Amino acid sequence: MRIGELARATGVEIETVRYYEKSGLLPEPARQANGYRAYSARHLERLAFIRHCRALDMPLADIARLLDFNDHPQSDCGDVNTLIDAQLARVRARLASMHALEAQLAALRARCREPHATQECGILHELVAAAHGEACACHPAPGRGGAGHADPRVFAADAEAPERPGRCDNQAG
Amino acid sequence: MRIGELARATGVEIETVRYYEKSGLLPEPARQANGYRAYSARHLERLAFIRHCRALDMPLADIARLLDFNDHPQSDCGDVNTLIDAQLARVRARLASMHALEAQLAALRARCREPHATQECGILHELVAAAHGEACACHPAPGRGGAGHADPRVFAADAEAPERPGRCDNQAG
DNA sequence: GGTTGACCCCGTAGTGGCTTCAGGGTTTCC
DNA sequence: GGAAACCCTGAAGCCACTACGGGGTCAACC
């Protein structure tokens, strides 16, 4: 099985397959006489597994660990739970902030229904007002002490990040 | 106002402030005799605006365009609408796929309640089965024709991406 | 046998939005 | 006067790819 077939069979792009190999997720396949990669059924299986986990938005490092568990069935699977829990926590945190985000954007969009000069644009006025610290959905208090902005980092950090100083104690206004 | 004060006032990290300057979002400030950056109220305002837009998860390129509209109040604001609409569409598409994701992860997690050997781990079994093409929440059909996996690219592409061949017609099994 | 086109190889660089690092200088406080 | 806090710059690292450049291989067709 050549790389193109493998790619078609799993729905993973050829470049991505080579990338997984380089990153150590997919073992190096045998080579044909001409240097082409020759994949086995085991590769197909493993790549499909990776693909599925990626569809679950897991980081490659976590997938590597799952593959490792899979390769060593004797080990305790407690860490699998932890791993899935962490992923679930990440997804839920993201989901929560994205709901807030959607509400804000929808409200923002409602401020401007028809074309007009930018000067009177409700959207820009709202954004500027919010930036000034006036009330808005994600930025309630005009000075200090409010819940403040949703932290942009929530998409990257959250759940298992080591503690860091907050960035949301907005004092402008 | 030095960079540290600006950073504290807006809740943006110092490095990020410099990064925004380098990317052209924030105009270069004046310098003190010792070379330190000296920011004005206008910078504070602009950075707060950027921060607010980033909290709305807008790409920096879009923010640059909003700032440009803001700087030219005479222009028509139709593009502001388009921009917010695109952002809203992106967020909604992401939300939808994240909801599906959460359901899958929760179902997966339910397969494994207590510690045991990896060999009997319901989570791994489910993942492997799914990768094999057997039924699972995101991968219903055992061969072809199902809705297939959620496309990982949905987080990057979606809404306004140019048409591309689908990657989800999984034929493994 | 020459050409076309599909397929494959490799290494490197680019994406976005930062973050970190290395290696310095300046200011402030005790 | 020495330590700590602050500031500077440029470059590299992060993630998970994606794209590019420049080449080799192979089967089919004229």
Side-chain angles (χ1 to χ4, degrees):
Chain A
M1 192 176 216
R2 292 190 310 191
I3 198 169
E5 292 171 80
L6 183 71
R8 267 190 302 279
T10 54
V12 174
E13 304 240 351
I14 290 177
E15 292 83 3
T16 306
V17 175
R18 285 198 281 249
Y19 171 74
Y20 288 161
E21 180 183 324
K22 204 161 53 179
S23 331
L25 262 93
L26 205 55
E28 291 191 24
R31 297 282 179 150
Q32 295 174 354
N34 57 15
Y36 290 9
R37 287 171 177 82
Y39 292 99
S40 70
R42 280 180 55 87
H43 287 99
L44 178 69
E45 197 174 316
R46 204 175 169 97
L47 182 56
F49 181 95
I50 296 171
R51 161 104 164 100
H52 185 76
C53 291
R54 281 298 298 141
L56 293 174
D57 206 23
M58 288 182 202
L60 294 187
D62 283 8
I63 300 176
R65 288 176 58 200
L66 284 181
L67 285 166
D68 203 53
F69 281 120
N70 219 22
D71 293 344
H72 302 95
Q74 252 56 51
S75 62
D76 187 90
C77 90
D79 288 353
V80 174
N81 289 8
T82 313
L83 208 142
I84 301 290
D85 281 343
Q87 174 66 7
L88 201 47
R90 264 197 303 269
V91 166
R92 285 184 172 151
R94 245 197 288 190
L95 211 45
S97 71
M98 295 220 58
H99 271 298
L101 184 50
E102 197 239 331
Q104 282 168 48
L105 281 170
L108 201 57
R109 183 60 180 85
R111 298 292 226 115
C112 182
R113 281 276 140 236
E114 276 149 48
H116 44 72
T118 298
Q119 208 153 20
E120 296 111 40
C121 180
I123 290 180
L124 282 175
H125 279 249
E126 171 80 11
L127 285 172
V128 170
H132 276 224
E134 292 163 30
C136 82
C138 72
H139 192 149
R144 60 191 54 242
H149 280 279
D151 189 336
R153 262 189 309 106
V154 79
F155 301 111
D158 67 62
E160 70 225 305
E163 57 183 73
R164 281 151 156 275
R167 274 162 75 196
C168 291
D169 50 344
N170 196 315
Q171 289 158 21
Chain B
M1 192 177 219
R2 292 191 310 190
I3 198 167
E5 291 171 79
L6 183 71
R8 268 190 301 279
T10 54
V12 173
E13 304 240 349
I14 290 178
E15 292 83 4
T16 306
V17 174
R18 285 197 282 248
Y19 171 75
Y20 287 162
E21 180 183 325
K22 204 162 52 178
S23 334
L25 263 93
L26 205 55
E28 291 190 24
R31 297 281 179 150
Q32 295 173 358
N34 56 13
Y36 288 12
R37 288 172 178 80
Y39 291 100
S40 70
R42 280 179 55 85
H43 286 101
L44 178 69
E45 197 174 315
R46 203 173 170 98
L47 182 56
F49 181 94
I50 296 170
R51 162 104 163 103
H52 185 75
C53 292
R54 281 298 298 141
L56 293 174
D57 205 22
M58 287 184 203
L60 294 186
D62 284 6
I63 300 176
R65 289 176 57 200
L66 284 181
L67 285 166
D68 201 54
F69 282 119
N70 218 23
D71 293 343
H72 302 95
Q74 252 55 51
S75 63
D76 187 88
C77 88
D79 288 352
V80 173
N81 290 8
T82 313
L83 209 142
I84 301 289
D85 281 342
Q87 174 65 8
L88 202 47
R90 264 197 305 269
V91 167
R92 285 182 172 152
R94 245 197 289 191
L95 256 178
S97 72
M98 295 218 56
H99 271 298
L101 185 51
E102 198 239 331
Q104 284 168 47
L105 281 169
L108 201 57
R109 184 59 180 86
R111 299 290 228 115
C112 183
R113 282 276 140 236
E114 274 149 48
H116 44 72
T118 298
Q119 209 152 18
E120 296 111 42
C121 178
I123 290 181
L124 283 176
H125 279 249
E126 171 82 11
L127 285 172
V128 170
H132 277 224
E134 292 162 30
C136 82
C138 73
H139 191 150
R144 58 192 55 243
H149 280 278
D151 188 337
R153 264 190 306 109
V154 78
F155 302 112
D158 68 63
E160 70 224 309
E163 57 182 73
R164 279 151 156 277
R167 274 163 74 198
C168 291
D169 51 345
N170 197 314
Q171 288 156 20

